[in-house]
């Protein structure tokens, strides 16, 4: 079964929830991953999706151990 990009989406709610649990501001996370705060806000609000480079930095900074925590598999797409 192919589970390529067309069947996955970014679960932006996870990074927002985790950031709040850790008590960080959006600015703090943006600075930590070397991104513009407005760009980070767009990621966290689901307006855009971070590329692999930034996604790994966010996962590391927010101590999210599994990439599956930020991936939603959209069933029925790509068939």
């Amino acid at each position: 079964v192919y589970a390529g990009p067309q069947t996955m989406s970014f679960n932006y709610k996870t990074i927002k929830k985790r950031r709040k649990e850790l008590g960080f501001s959006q600015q703090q996370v943006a600075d930590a991953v070397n991104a513009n705060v407005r760009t980070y806000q767009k990621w966290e609000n689901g307006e855009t999706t971070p590329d692999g480079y930034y996604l790994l930095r966010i996962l590391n900074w927010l101590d999210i151990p599994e990439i599956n925590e930020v991936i939603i598999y959209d069933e029925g797409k790509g068939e």
Side-chain angles (χ1 to χ4, degrees):
V1 173
Y2 176 70
Q6 73 272 14
T7 64
M8 297 184 292
S9 58
F10 177 60
N11 185 358
Y12 60 90
K13 294 176 185 176
T14 300
I15 65 169
K16 184 174 189 174
K17 180 181 177 223
R18 184 65 179 148
R19 176 185 59 80
K20 288 183 173 189
E21 287 173 354
L22 295 172
F24 294 128
S25 69
Q26 290 178 329
Q27 183 71 62
Q28 287 173 306
V29 178
D31 289 346
V33 300
N34 201 27
N36 179 283
V37 69
R38 183 63 188 123
T39 301
Y40 180 80
Q41 290 168 340
K42 287 181 180 183
W43 295 333
E44 197 174 274
N45 291 322
E47 296 172 44
T48 61
T49 302
D51 65 18
Y53 172 80
Y54 285 108
L55 182 57
L56 288 175
R57 293 179 67 93
I58 291 167
L59 293 176
N60 286 329
W61 181 255
L62 296 178
D63 196 26
I64 299 172
E66 296 292 328
I67 194 150
N68 288 340
E69 293 184 48
V70 295
I71 300 294
I72 299 171
Y73 291 95
D74 303 318
E75 294 183 28
K77 288 188 177 179
E79 293 180 6

